[in-house]
Amino acid sequence: MLVRIQFAILILLISLVTAASADDVAKRLVTLGDPARGIEPCATCHQANGGGSESIGAPRLAAVNAFYLAQQIDNFNDGNRKHSIMQPWAELLTDAEIAALSEYFAALPPASNARVPADSDPKDGEWLALDGDWTERRLPACGQCHGRLGSGVGQHFPALAGQPYSYLVRQMAAWTTGERTGDPLGMMGAVNAKLSVAEIQAVAAFYASLPVADSAVASGASSPGSSATAMSPPQQSSEPAPMAHKKPLPHQGEVPSGRLPGKAGHFNPPARGDKPGDAFGEEVALGERIFTQTNSHEISGKYVGNQQTCEGCHLDAGRLADAAPMWAAWVAYPAYRSKDKQVNTITERIQGCFNYSMNAQASEVGHPPAAESPVIHALESYLYWLATGAPTGDKAMPGRGYPKLAETEQGFDPQRGAAIYEKNCAICHGADGTGGDASDTMVFPPLWGARSYNWGAGMHRIDTAAAYIKTNMPLGNFLELTDQQAWDVAAFMNAHERPQDPRFAGVVAETAEQFHGSQFDYYGKREGADGKLLGTSSPGSAQ
């Protein structure tokens, strides 16, 4: 026993010495460089606080995810990123030095030396950063991957808040021309190809103006002894007000609401900036915030028992055609639903979403919001406003729901879907399907597990998930999955355990027989990863 304790102490001491040595190596390279190898101090360009340099376009490294930082050095080594100084230095660094430097900068308190040009207004880029341009260009908001306020998400989507303006402009241009590559699935090249020079500059100004206090939290870095005042750039804004966005740059324009001409003839909801300037407009704005931040908003979060938002299934804040838009839902209710075997009002439909997609029974209060609650009032006001000018009672509006996906000769197979998921989906939703969140909101929704939708949600059906995936995933449609791939990845996604069906009465087999008879439903029919029948290991199961 004594020998084991002595050995454990020895291992601990070795690890502490190794950690200290790595930190010493990093500090030496940051402050002194390595003259013998021709490596200048990192602080020369990135500054001692890691906040970057506006004058030379050096990025801030402080509190940026360590994995991402190490990956960028690899990209310089591989030629995916080109830089006359960084490339030769990257080739000289050892793996241990790369790891030490990455961890060192990630652990620094958040800092930024960014400055916005005097002739730039950060508000000009706010609409693209926070809303995107889905209808015209299928262009997701920057915040859709990097977090609403640019705090960064996971290992692959770095923090943008407080990055120097000059650095952001240069990098977006490099993505556009192909000078910079190495991004997962070629996302950034595809996104930036849709942006004009003026839009790139506007978005860069917006993110350069934001504070960086939350970035370390999102990236997993620590921020000991830091304060928002000391680490923030002079030109900062607080969280953007939801109704304060400037209208799109002149060459984009805005289309009036109503049915649009063209092949699809999709209805166009009112522009975001056209909310009424009265009490009703305030209620609409509240509903929009709840719709996009359902799990975290102060008045709706207590009804959510997982990490889902309304926008997770209804893209572009419920505005996007073929992504179950809310303007088409509003005019279609009341309606009979076979799921409930009764006529549902829009209020009951919203409550059903909380019950199934939001897993309300596992929430703080254990149930969906009441019909006369502030949450329902706000959401109904928002949906009603989105449908301004839409034909009441039209249950077949173009763009409603998800376009039905025809079955394939090969059917669907979770094993085939696993490889597709790993290649195309895990980058955002995680290899374990747990999703990805930033410090300010959920960004990539969990697809299975305790934080996902439950076995009663519509998305648990493979045909529904396949239709959604085919039309809307990956975000921005920068690459398109085949019909077969969509079916297979939907099957893989829904072959995992998730929270119990709220209609569960104690026996999975009986619940499956009563509510899960479809061929597109694995509940109670297929074994999960633990070897047990799906549904039997769900939270809330009696078996």
Side-chain angles (χ1 to χ4, degrees), residues 119-132 202 206 240-250 253-254 271-274:
D119 58 352
S120 296
D121 185 349
K123 287 290 183 183
D124 286 339
E126 185 179 15
W127 69 284
L128 271 175
L130 302 188
D131 302 329
F206 173 74
M243 298 180 67
H245 302 1
K246 282 194 172 184
K247 290 191 175 182
L249 299 178
E254 289 193 6
R272 282 181 168 86
D274 288 345

Side-chain angles (χ1 to χ4, degrees), residues 241-396:
M243 298 180 67
H245 302 1
K246 282 194 172 184
K247 290 191 175 182
L249 299 178
H251 75 279
Q252 291 302 323
E254 289 193 6
V255 185
S257 62
R259 191 176 295 278
L260 296 177
K263 183 177 179 181
H266 290 153
F267 174 82
N268 198 54
R272 282 181 168 86
D274 288 345
K275 295 180 181 69
D278 54 16
F280 173 64
E282 293 177 2
E283 193 74 3
V284 169
L286 174 60
E288 183 178 28
R289 292 195 295 275
I290 291 173
F291 196 92
T292 58
Q293 303 165 37
T294 324
N295 65 307
S296 59
H297 196 279
E298 59 183 352
I299 71 169
S300 61
K302 63 183 178 181
Y303 300 106
V304 179
N306 53 25
Q307 289 296 313
Q308 303 290 315
T309 67
C310 301
E311 190 175 38
C313 294
H314 311 276
L315 297 179
D316 193 22
R319 306 171 66 89
L320 187 64
D322 295 331
M326 293 294 94
W327 39 262
W330 176 264
V331 300
Y333 283 88
Y336 177 83
R337 298 189 74 220
S338 58
K339 181 173 183 174
D340 296 334
K341 295 181 173 55
Q342 67 179 29
V343 173
N344 282 177
T345 64
I346 191 67
T347 298
E348 292 169 325
R349 185 69 180 88
I350 295 172
Q351 289 175 314
C353 286
F354 274 92
N355 213 29
Y356 296 112
S357 295
M358 308 294 176
N359 200 34
Q361 65 269 25
S363 68
E364 175 186 333
V365 298
H367 57 77
E372 294 303 314
S373 67
V375 172
I376 297 296
H377 282 186
L379 286 172
E380 288 188 341
S381 297
Y382 178 56
L383 270 57
Y384 168 80
W385 177 75
L386 283 179
T388 301
T392 299
D394 188 344
K395 293 179 170 58

Side-chain angles (χ1 to χ4, degrees), residues 420-497:
I420 300 164
Y421 181 89
E422 181 181 6
K423 179 180 179 181
N424 300 296
C425 313
I427 193 72
C428 295
H429 296 282
D432 56 0
T434 55
D437 49 11
S439 58
D440 48 352
T441 188
M442 170 55 62
V443 178
F444 303 116
L447 302 180
W448 62 82
R451 303 203 309 167
S452 185
Y453 51 86
N454 64 43
W455 281 113
M459 197 62 77
H460 93 278
R461 286 178 54 107
I462 296 167
D463 55 341
T464 301
Y468 173 78
I469 291 167
K470 171 62 180 177
T471 303
N472 298 292
M473 292 287 117
L475 281 174
N477 302 103
F478 56 88
L479 62 87
E480 184 175 357
L481 299 179
T482 66
D483 290 3
Q484 186 62 60
Q485 288 174 323
W487 277 106
D488 289 341
V489 79
F492 171 74
M493 184 174 80
N494 285 325
H496 288 82
E497 195 60 277

Side-chain angles (χ1 to χ4, degrees), residues 60-354:
R60 82 166 176 93
L61 306 182
V64 175
N65 180 272
F67 177 91
Y68 178 81
L69 293 178
Q71 184 61 52
Q72 299 319 299
I73 297 179
D74 287 343
N75 281 336
F76 284 119
N77 268 321
D78 296 340
N80 290 322
R81 293 190 67 169
K82 297 174 174 59
H83 194 278
S84 59
I85 296 176
M86 284 303 302
Q87 276 184 289
W89 288 356
E91 294 173 358
L92 296 173
L93 294 173
T94 67
D95 291 344
E97 289 172 333
I98 292 172
L101 283 169
S102 300
E103 293 292 344
Y104 174 84
F105 280 113
L108 286 179
S112 171
N113 300 319
R115 297 291 181 272
V116 177
D119 58 352
S120 296
D121 185 349
K123 287 290 183 183
D124 286 339
E126 185 179 15
W127 69 284
L128 271 175
L130 302 188
D131 302 329
D133 188 11
W134 287 90
T135 302
E136 295 299 316
R137 289 176 281 179
R138 204 77 178 183
L139 184 64
C142 306
Q144 191 72 58
C145 291
H146 295 274
R148 174 176 166 78
L149 296 182
S151 56
V153 179
Q155 296 180 329
H156 300 284
F157 301 96
L160 302 181
Q163 282 289 1
Y165 167 86
S166 56
Y167 170 76
L168 291 174
V169 170
R170 177 70 185 88
Q171 295 310 304
M172 285 194 279
W175 289 120
T176 303
T177 62
E179 179 183 343
R180 179 176 175 180
T181 56
D183 56 319
L185 303 177
M187 294 181 193
M188 287 304 300
V191 167
N192 280 278
K194 298 180 180 182
L195 297 174
S196 69
V197 173
E199 287 172 334
I200 286 175
Q201 293 171 338
V203 168
F206 173 74
Y207 279 113
S209 73
L210 293 181
V212 299
D214 292 335
S215 299
V217 177
S219 65
S222 60
S223 52
S226 60
S227 68
T229 303
M231 64 193 170
S232 301
Q235 300 181 9
Q236 287 190 1
S237 62
S238 58
E239 178 169 346
M243 298 180 67
H245 302 1
K246 282 194 172 184
K247 290 191 175 182
L249 299 178
H251 75 279
Q252 291 302 323
E254 289 193 6
V255 185
S257 62
R259 191 176 295 278
L260 296 177
K263 183 177 179 181
H266 290 153
F267 174 82
N268 198 54
R272 282 181 168 86
D274 288 345
K275 295 180 181 69
D278 54 16
F280 173 64
E282 293 177 2
E283 193 74 3
V284 169
L286 174 60
E288 183 178 28
R289 292 195 295 275
I290 291 173
F291 196 92
T292 58
Q293 303 165 37
T294 324
N295 65 307
S296 59
H297 196 279
E298 59 183 352
I299 71 169
S300 61
K302 63 183 178 181
Y303 300 106
V304 179
N306 53 25
Q307 289 296 313
Q308 303 290 315
T309 67
C310 301
E311 190 175 38
C313 294
H314 311 276
L315 297 179
D316 193 22
R319 306 171 66 89
L320 187 64
D322 295 331
M326 293 294 94
W327 39 262
W330 176 264
V331 300
Y333 283 88
Y336 177 83
R337 298 189 74 220
S338 58
K339 181 173 183 174
D340 296 334
K341 295 181 173 55
Q342 67 179 29
V343 173
N344 282 177
T345 64
I346 191 67
T347 298
E348 292 169 325
R349 185 69 180 88
I350 295 172
Q351 289 175 314
C353 286
F354 274 92

